[in-house]
């Protein structure tokens, strides 16, 4: 069965381990666990660690170089894919299908050529921002990127101070640069990932993005767990109206800080399915169980653990429990692959039509 985790930070681990002399990190350290869990496709994201914020563009290119090295070293285990057909072909041959994504566009302001280079490599989706306010948009909790860069330069990477940021009136929304970037993304077939955006930016971005491929890769239902990083009912409905999906996040603070676990995670799935339909669900687990303590420091230190849904090994029990909770095999197959593949195909089709239209002008 095709099974994609829409949001994986494994590249953080890859870069860290390669810097410590390891090679074939994906094939040797990650593929066995993913294969055992039944996960055979990953939205592998480029995210800049907090202690690298002051050199985001340079770090982005280092991450790209690390990924390209992994692909060269493990051609029998890994495949960087550009379309659902390529992904399905890779999965049929036992390879891990890798979809390149980017979590925050701040580096593009420092190095404008990065976007076209990423597209040439096969970028499939992108978040406008992580949690900071950058040249394109503002996220949650909305810290200004200049502040993050200053703290990072000082060697203080832990500038994320919790889940409660400034009020919505204190953060910018989508900028003129952000609007232009959204058009570039849609024309290139790069899907818009709406996770991490504050309310103001969310509504401006989903309205301004001219493409058809919108989704939230790793967010949950705010009605179940009331934190701003989760999605309100209106946001969920807006994504569904664009035929997008929500990838459910296993991070305990987004599931339920007091009682995280498999059943509470499934509560989010049930709620969203009841609200807009099963065909708007996916998985974006956001696991980081594979990071060493030293690597965790680069993202702000140890984070809360979900005792029942901590890593890939916990995915088979999750799927089994979803069946027990009433999700049919066909619904689970839609959640693990079919729903996202639909959105991805739509984004590619929009790009092809847009490109053809531009040629005919």
């Amino acid at each position: 069965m095709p099974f994609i985790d829409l949001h994986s930070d494994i590249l953080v681990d890859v870069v860290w381990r390669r810097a410590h002399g390891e090679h074939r990190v994906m094939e040797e350290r990650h593929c066995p666990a993913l294969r055992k869990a039944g996960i055979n496709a990953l939205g592998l994201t480029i995210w800049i660690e907090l202690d690298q914020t002051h050199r985001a563009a340079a770090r982005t290119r280092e991450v790209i170089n690390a990924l390209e090295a992994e692909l060269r070293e493990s051609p029998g285990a890994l495949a960087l894919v550009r379309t659902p057909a390529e992904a399905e072909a890779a999965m049929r041959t036992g390879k891990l299908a890798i979809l390149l994504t980017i979590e925050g566009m701040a580096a593009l302001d420092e190095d404008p050529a990065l976007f076209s280079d990423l597209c040439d490599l096969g970028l499939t989706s992108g978040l406008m921002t992580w949690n900071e306010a950058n040249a394109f948009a503002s996220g949650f909790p909305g810290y200004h990127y200049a502040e993050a860069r200053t703290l990072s330069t000082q060697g203080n990477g832990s500038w994320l101070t919790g889940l409660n940021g400034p009020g919505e009136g204190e953060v910018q929304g989508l900028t003129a640069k952000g609007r232009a970037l959204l058009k570039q993304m849609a024309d290139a077939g790069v899907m818009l990932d709406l996770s991490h955006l504050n309310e103001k930016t969310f509504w401006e971005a989903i309205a301004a993005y001219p493409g058809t491929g919108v989704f939230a890769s790793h967010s949950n239902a705010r009605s179940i767990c009331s934190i701003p990083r989760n999605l309100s009912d209106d946001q969920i409905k807006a994504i569904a109206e664009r035929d997008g999906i929500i990838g459910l996040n296993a991070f305990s603070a987004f599931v339920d800080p007091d009682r995280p676990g498999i059943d509470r995670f499934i509560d989010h799935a049930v709620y969203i399915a009841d609200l807009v339909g099963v065909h708007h669900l996916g998985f974006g687990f956001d696991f980081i169980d594979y990071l060493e303590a030293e690597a965790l420091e680069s993202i702000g230190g140890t984070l809360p653990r979900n005792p029942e849904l901590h890593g890939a090994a916990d995915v088979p029990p999750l799927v089994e429990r979803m069946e027990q909770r009433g999700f049919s095999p066909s619904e689970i197959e839609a959640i693990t692959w079919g729903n996202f593949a639909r959105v991805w195909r739509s984004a590619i089709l929009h790009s092809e039509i847009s490109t053809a239209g531009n040629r005919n002008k």
Side-chain angles (χ1 to χ4, degrees):
M1 178 176 71
F3 193 128
I4 184 168
D5 177 354
L6 294 170
H7 185 81
S8 172
D9 286 301
I10 282 175
L11 280 177
V12 174
D13 187 61
V14 168
V15 171
W16 186 82
R17 291 187 184 280
R18 292 188 71 88
H20 288 75
E22 292 188 38
H23 298 278
R24 298 171 64 207
V25 177
M26 291 285 298
E27 181 177 5
E28 295 186 354
R29 287 195 174 266
H30 295 287
C31 284
L34 292 167
R35 190 177 300 114
K36 188 174 181 179
I39 298 172
N40 44 22
L42 281 182
L44 202 58
T45 197
I46 297 173
W47 176 76
I48 304 306
E49 309 97 317
L50 302 183
D51 61 0
Q52 296 292 323
T53 305
H54 63 289
R55 53 186 302 274
R59 186 58 163 180
T60 298
R61 292 201 176 275
E62 289 171 1
V63 176
I64 291 170
N65 291 339
L67 174 59
E68 291 181 323
E70 290 282 311
L71 292 166
R72 286 194 303 271
E73 292 166 3
S74 302
L78 310 175
L80 185 63
V81 298
R82 295 170 178 267
T83 67
E86 288 184 4
E88 289 162 1
M91 289 185 276
R92 281 196 300 270
T93 60
K95 294 181 181 180
L96 177 68
I98 293 172
L99 287 68
L100 181 64
T101 74
I102 187 166
E103 188 171 17
M105 300 291 194
L108 274 59
D109 191 47
E110 300 173 31
D111 185 353
L114 260 176
F115 182 72
S116 59
D117 291 347
L118 286 165
C119 289
D120 289 343
L121 189 58
L123 186 67
T124 59
S125 69
L127 293 93
M128 298 296 287
T129 175
W130 179 55
N131 284 336
E132 80 290 340
N134 59 35
F136 305 98
S138 59
F140 162 79
Y143 293 106
H144 286 288
Y145 197 63
E147 176 190 1
R149 286 174 57 84
T150 299
L151 291 171
S152 177
T153 303
Q154 295 168 354
N156 182 358
S158 300
W159 58 273
L160 177 61
T161 58
L163 295 178
N164 296 308
E168 290 299 321
E170 301 173 43
V171 295
Q172 71 185 38
L174 195 64
T175 68
K177 275 189 175 181
R179 293 179 187 277
L181 180 58
L182 286 175
K183 171 92 169 44
Q184 283 183 278
M185 289 169 62
D187 287 348
V190 176
M191 291 174 281
L192 171 62
D193 187 340
L194 292 157
S195 288
H196 277 289
L197 300 181
N198 59 57
E199 290 258 0
K200 180 177 175 62
T201 307
F202 175 96
W203 291 112
E204 292 178 352
I206 198 169
Y209 179 71
T212 54
V214 299
F215 70 113
S217 64
H218 57 305
S219 297
N220 293 342
R222 197 180 299 173
S223 290
I224 299 294
C225 179
S226 183
I227 62 168
R229 253 292 273 118
N230 283 339
L231 299 169
S232 69
D233 286 4
D234 285 343
Q235 289 175 310
I236 293 168
K237 289 176 183 177
I239 292 171
E241 286 169 4
R242 294 285 292 270
D243 201 29
I245 69 168
I246 294 96
L248 298 175
N249 192 328
F251 182 50
S252 63
F254 301 161
V255 175
D256 187 324
D258 298 322
R259 51 188 184 98
I262 284 179
D263 269 304
R264 196 56 171 160
F265 177 89
I266 297 172
D267 287 345
H268 287 269
V270 171
Y271 184 85
I272 294 172
D274 287 345
L275 186 66
V276 294
V278 172
H279 52 294
H280 297 296
L281 280 173
F283 292 131
F285 293 116
D286 208 7
F287 293 140
I288 55 168
D289 58 302
Y290 42 77
L291 290 177
E292 301 284 355
E294 184 180 342
L296 277 169
E297 287 303 314
S298 71
I299 64 171
T302 303
L303 296 171
R305 183 179 185 273
N306 189 329
E308 295 179 1
L309 200 53
H310 184 56
D314 298 320
V315 170
L318 165 66
V319 172
E320 181 180 354
R321 184 62 182 146
M322 288 184 73
E323 291 176 346
Q324 294 170 353
R325 290 278 300 267
F327 287 90
S328 70
S330 62
E331 288 175 333
I332 290 173
E333 287 182 16
I335 295 168
T336 62
W337 176 249
N339 293 341
F340 176 72
R342 180 191 72 242
V343 177
W344 192 7
R345 290 188 189 100
S346 176
I348 293 169
L349 179 60
H350 175 90
S351 174
E352 291 172 346
I353 292 172
S354 176
T355 300
N358 291 334
R359 282 199 304 264
N360 294 332
K361 284 183 180 179

